[in-house]
Amino acid sequence: MFAVLSRPNRLLGLALLVLPALGTAFPANAQDKLLTDFSSEEQVQRAWVTVNDTVMGGVSEGQYTFTGDNTLLFRGNLSLDNNGGFASVRTRTADLDLAGYDAVAIRVKGDGRTYNFDLRTASPRMASSYRQSFETRDGEWLDIRFPLEDFVLTSFGRRVDAPPPRARDIASFGFTLSDKDEGPFRLEIGGVKATNLNPSAETSHTSGSAAPPAGDLVNVATRAGQFNTLLAAATAAGLVEALKNSDANLTIFAPTDDAFAALPEGTVESLLQPENQDQLVAILSYHVLPSAVFLEQQVETLQGQTLNIQPTGEVKINGATVLAADVRASNGVIHVIDRVLLPSATPNTPTQQAMTLIELAIQRGVPQFNHGNPAACAAIYEVAATSLLSLHRDNLSDGDIQQLDQALDEIQSGLSASDQAWALRGALDHVYASLSEMP
């Protein structure tokens, strides 16, 4: 059985259940749905991420480790310096499909400190989670069950007056330490599952299935339902396939439909015309980074210019407010913003922009290749080659265009990831040399 934690004003008369250390598996129940998969380091890396107060200027350290014993170890050091004081580990956003459940259960072994268990939805509310705190006992495994109706919505650590989460809306879960007690911490997680307060409650779910993948960037944006204009623009610009590339690891600053609607009347319709495709590609590529980035201060886009990110207070990207950060996809991350970003009218000459794009692709691609990930390197080079043909075609010689087209055709012929990267790199080097000889 599980102990049930509830709000203090509910007198359930149930004590926290302390289990002997007899392993980390949950008690068997065919109606429960296992939400964690700690079977391999690859599974853990794919599903989990840490977010500490460093995103707001703090210096706390928290990281997770795959133990090899079907558990996840979250540990580090909590610091209150620079107005900090939290460390957290959470799953990437996914369609968890929890309709029909009314509780979640965890198995943990802590260090005697008080932690929070957090639930998150796909809501655009910034820095928010539904939260329940729980106490741990040093070195002892505990099974704890939380009714969904008792979770409290918080934003930036403060309670928000709102109803509890609906099971079908839950898209992520995790653990946070923010007890204002400086020093080392250690929390071992044996598992998380969806369950019911009434074990006989009917549900169509089965146990043992891990959370499904979130889908690629296009799928995640489509499911969100607020990026229809952005997706239409990406289709018109011919960028959808690049955004769906499974080997990519991109960042998209995604303007909502309302953000596009705020542009001057007729702007979107004009950009979607075939004769304005180059301008459309320039604007969209200004919203894309070639790797996953989380709230750094300055980053360079595929378009060649930089974006300035203000990481204090409301998060700003070149003046646009981030409505929701770190919306995960299988091939990158989406940050939802409230306005369309427009590059400077004359940042560089077209030739300089094309050369900068190639330089950036090589800067990002080479480390991926050298660290044993040639597929990611090839994906970065493919995005760069496609952007050159779409955005800078008028500045390329016939030979340059032929080289790029040939490389893009060649990578579709069954080459290994390494050979794809080299084929594309050869074409990019050829084009760069050609551009450098121009006046």
Side-chain angles (χ1 to χ4, degrees):
M1 63 176 290
F2 287 91
V4 178
L5 293 190
S6 65
R7 293 176 183 169
N9 61 347
R10 296 185 63 195
L11 301 178
L12 297 182
L14 294 174
L16 184 66
L17 179 65
V18 179
L19 298 180
L22 298 177
T24 60
F26 277 124
N29 187 330
Q31 293 181 335
D32 293 343
K33 180 174 184 177
L34 184 65
L35 302 179
T36 47
D37 184 353
F38 301 146
S39 60
S40 69
E41 185 170 7
E42 179 183 0
Q43 292 288 352
V44 170
Q45 293 287 345
R46 182 182 303 165
W48 292 80
V49 63
T50 55
V51 179
N52 302 320
D53 59 19
T54 51
V55 300
M56 301 298 290
V59 296
S60 295
E61 299 175 355
Q63 61 183 357
Y64 65 83
T65 304
F66 169 64
T67 67
D69 191 29
N70 292 321
T71 66
L72 181 75
L73 180 59
F74 176 47
R75 60 183 174 182
N77 187 76
L78 194 71
S79 172
L80 304 183
D81 292 344
N82 297 341
N83 295 316
F86 78 87
S88 69
V89 61
R90 65 184 68 164
T91 61
R92 304 178 191 274
T93 302
D95 182 5
L96 299 181
D97 189 22
L98 301 187
Y101 294 104
D102 61 14
V104 287
I106 63 174
R107 172 163 286 192
V108 293
K109 181 171 67 173
D111 50 9
R113 301 181 70 157
T114 298
Y115 293 80
N116 296 312
F117 181 65
D118 302 307
L119 300 176
R120 290 178 171 82
T121 69
S123 167
R125 184 187 295 272
M126 185 65 179
S128 66
S129 69
Y130 293 87
R131 177 165 291 182
Q132 275 283 284
S133 63
F134 63 94
E135 296 180 358
T136 63
R137 296 186 181 180
D138 191 10
E140 298 185 28
W141 283 105
L142 304 178
D143 282 344
I144 309 170
R145 186 167 61 184
F146 306 94
L148 292 183
E149 65 179 358
D150 287 341
F151 278 83
V152 173
L153 180 62
T154 64
S155 181
F156 291 100
R158 296 182 179 180
R159 180 168 176 169
V160 177
D161 187 15
R166 296 180 299 183
R168 66 176 181 269
D169 294 335
I170 296 171
S172 172
F173 55 88
F175 299 83
T176 299
L177 178 65
S178 57
D179 61 0
K180 302 301 181 183
D181 185 9
E182 291 188 308
F185 65 87
R186 176 188 175 96
L187 180 71
E188 190 169 358
I189 304 161
V192 177
K193 68 179 181 180
T195 185
N196 282 290
L197 298 177
N198 178 8
S200 62
E202 293 185 3
T203 174
S204 61
H205 298 284
T206 58
S207 64
S209 58
D216 60 47
L217 290 163
V218 174
N219 291 336
V220 171
T222 300
R223 284 202 306 270
Q226 59 179 332
F227 305 113
N228 296 318
T229 308
L230 175 63
L231 293 169
T235 300
L239 296 177
V240 170
E241 290 306 314
L243 298 179
K244 291 179 68 67
N245 190 316
S246 61
D247 294 321
N249 188 30
L250 307 175
T251 296
I252 299 180
F253 297 104
T256 63
D257 291 335
D258 289 342
F260 277 100
L263 292 172
E265 185 176 356
T267 300
V268 174
E269 291 77 5
S270 176
L271 288 172
L272 294 178
Q273 297 301 314
E275 61 269 22
N276 295 325
Q277 185 183 47
D278 286 353
Q279 185 180 3
L280 180 61
V281 171
I283 292 174
L284 293 183
S285 61
Y286 191 58
H287 292 74
V288 181
L289 310 179
S291 60
V293 172
F294 304 94
L295 304 184
E296 296 177 5
Q297 289 191 339
Q298 190 176 78
V299 291
E300 192 167 5
T301 72
L302 282 180
Q303 189 266 353
Q305 298 180 53
T306 59
L307 292 174
N308 294 312
I309 303 176
Q310 176 187 316
T312 58
E314 284 188 320
V315 180
K316 298 283 188 178
I317 311 293
N318 274 23
T321 299
V322 176
L323 301 176
D326 303 347
V327 181
R328 306 298 178 126
S330 60
N331 63 338
V333 61
I334 296 172
H335 304 304
V336 184
I337 55 178
D338 68 347
R339 50 183 283 196
V340 178
L341 306 175
L342 299 175
S344 302
T346 56
N348 288 308
T349 67
T351 297
Q352 291 171 327
Q353 292 179 38
M355 294 176 68
T356 298
L357 190 154
I358 296 173
E359 292 169 358
L360 180 60
I362 292 174
Q363 290 171 7
R364 301 300 179 120
V366 168
Q368 295 287 344
F369 191 97
N370 291 342
H371 285 83
N373 196 352
C377 176
I380 293 171
Y381 289 169
E382 182 182 1
V383 171
T386 302
S387 297
L388 285 168
L389 290 171
S390 299
L391 181 59
H392 300 286
R393 194 179 193 92
D394 291 343
N395 302 306
L396 304 178
S397 68
D398 291 341
D400 294 339
I401 294 173
Q402 182 180 359
Q403 286 281 339
L404 292 170
D405 283 335
Q406 181 178 338
L408 290 170
D409 288 341
E410 192 174 350
I411 65 173
Q412 304 299 325
S413 62
L415 293 178
S416 67
S418 178
D419 288 340
Q420 290 180 29
W422 279 116
L424 290 164
R425 175 62 186 275
L428 294 177
D429 286 346
H430 174 92
V431 174
Y432 190 87
S434 178
L435 291 171
S436 65
E437 296 174 357
M438 292 184 178

